[in-house]
Amino acid sequence: MAYTQLSVTRRCWIADLAEAAATEAGGVIPVQPLPLLDSHEITFSPGDFGNAFDGVLEHRSGRFHIYCNIRDTDYPGSTRARFTVGHELGHYFIDEHRNALASGRVPSHPSFIDKSGNSVIETEANTFSSYFLMPQQDFRRAVAKEKPGLKAIINLSSTFSVSAQATAIRYVEECPVPCAAMMFRPGKRPWAAICPTLRKLGYDYANAPEVTALPNGFASKVAHADPAESGLGAIVEAPSTASFWFANVAASSPRNCVITEQAVRLGTHGILTLLLFPRGL
Ligand SMILES: [Zn+2]
């Protein structure tokens, strides 16, 4: 997933920077970005900008301005809008991004938070937003209080006011049980986030089948049957095997093992799946 594109050094540096910004914003959870905009004299325009961008950080005559796209179904305090503001703050707080913009070396760019692709700049801004809205120490404490599983992701998403998808990407990094998250999105390729322990043990490439192509009885397929209109569906759980979900793990491999598949429908966004491995793998 996206954050693993960055070196550990760079990611840790951005995480520290974001955590300091969250403290400056008042140190409360959920983090409130707006007072930080005020104290840095960054002006702010939420609005409906069609499909032009999710957000933009603009520099003009020494002043910074953030535009945040709030389409029909969105609102200024939504988890999506919060992540967008966090992303643009990343462009402001990361020295290289801010200096490039202020010097005129690079123009303002439209940010799309779901489409960072291979752009290091966008991945860095998303990483900042993640650690700004889920400061590492607070997030770790909150993870420790939860029973490992998908319910923990849903609870943390609500505590930190961040989408379940963004929460899941961070959760796999901190969960005490080895795990991987996968998101099946309608009309888009699924994404997978794999915890450091699993990556180290060679479970580093997840198979990403279409959710409809999964065998009957798989938790993700059962969750998919939940109507999208119902919003957050019920959490479904079923036993599964590592060899099904991970490339290069044959059924006969000693690395194959029984795992737990949990899945939930996130309304029209798709199905979020968590694969939990045995503790102490
Ligand atoms: Zn951006």
Side-chain angles (χ1 to χ4, degrees):
M1 264 311 288
Y3 306 148
T4 55
Q5 281 176 359
L6 306 180
S7 70
V8 173
T9 314
R10 185 70 176 167
R11 181 153 59 94
C12 290
W13 183 80
I14 291 173
D16 289 349
L17 189 67
E19 183 140 10
T23 303
E24 197 189 330
V28 291
I29 301 296
V31 170
Q32 301 301 317
L34 296 186
L36 194 60
L37 298 184
D38 283 346
S39 62
H40 284 261
E41 298 185 333
I42 302 168
T43 43
F44 180 55
S45 302
D48 185 342
F49 300 102
N51 294 324
F53 53 77
D54 285 327
V56 175
L57 175 68
E58 191 179 67
H59 176 262
R60 213 175 269 183
S61 317
R63 301 287 297 270
F64 287 90
H65 185 83
I66 290 177
Y67 293 92
C68 177
N69 198 355
I70 298 159
R71 279 155 289 195
D72 336 331
T73 54
D74 229 340
Y75 55 97
S78 73
T79 55
R80 188 180 179 86
R82 283 167 56 77
F83 200 89
T84 298
V85 173
H87 175 109
E88 300 308 333
L89 280 173
H91 289 316
Y92 174 82
F93 275 97
I94 298 170
D95 289 340
E96 294 89 333
H97 298 206
R98 185 186 60 254
N99 293 340
L101 201 57
S103 69
R105 281 203 312 280
V106 296
S108 297
H109 69 272
S111 299
F112 292 95
I113 58 173
D114 291 339
K115 299 178 190 160
S116 62
N118 293 323
S119 161
V120 172
I121 300 288
E122 293 297 87
T123 300
E124 289 190 346
N126 279 345
T127 302
F128 181 94
S129 189
S130 172
Y131 284 90
F132 173 64
L133 297 172
M134 295 173 274
Q136 196 144 23
Q137 292 184 53
D138 292 290
F139 193 73
R140 280 184 178 156
R141 270 196 293 270
V143 168
K145 286 184 192 153
E146 298 280 347
K147 180 172 176 266
L150 200 45
K151 184 75 172 69
I153 295 177
I154 302 301
N155 291 345
L156 294 164
S157 151
S158 155
T159 302
F160 288 87
S161 196
V162 176
S163 74
Q165 292 188 61
T167 307
I169 291 169
R170 282 288 301 287
Y171 183 73
V172 301
E173 299 286 325
E174 306 292 349
C175 179
V177 171
C179 64
M182 207 172 270
M183 181 72 197
F184 299 97
R185 305 173 294 172
K188 295 180 189 167
R189 284 180 49 200
W191 60 249
I194 302 171
C195 80
T197 304
L198 290 182
R199 290 202 302 268
K200 228 182 287 168
L201 293 173
Y203 303 91
D204 50 358
Y205 187 79
N207 289 319
E210 287 293 326
V211 69
T212 48
L214 291 171
N216 289 335
F218 271 52
S220 307
K221 192 159 182 178
V222 175
H224 186 253
D226 244 341
E229 297 69 35
S230 66
L232 186 66
I235 294 178
V236 186
E237 182 176 310
S240 195
T241 58
S243 65
F244 180 86
W245 294 97
F246 292 87
N248 311 319
V249 179
S252 58
S253 164
R255 285 184 300 132
N256 190 17
C257 56
V258 174
I259 60 175
T260 302
E261 178 198 7
Q262 296 182 333
V264 69
R265 174 175 274 291
L266 305 177
T268 55
H269 298 293
I271 308 301
L272 179 64
T273 297
L274 187 71
L275 304 172
L276 290 153
F277 278 65
R279 228 178 243 268
L281 186 69

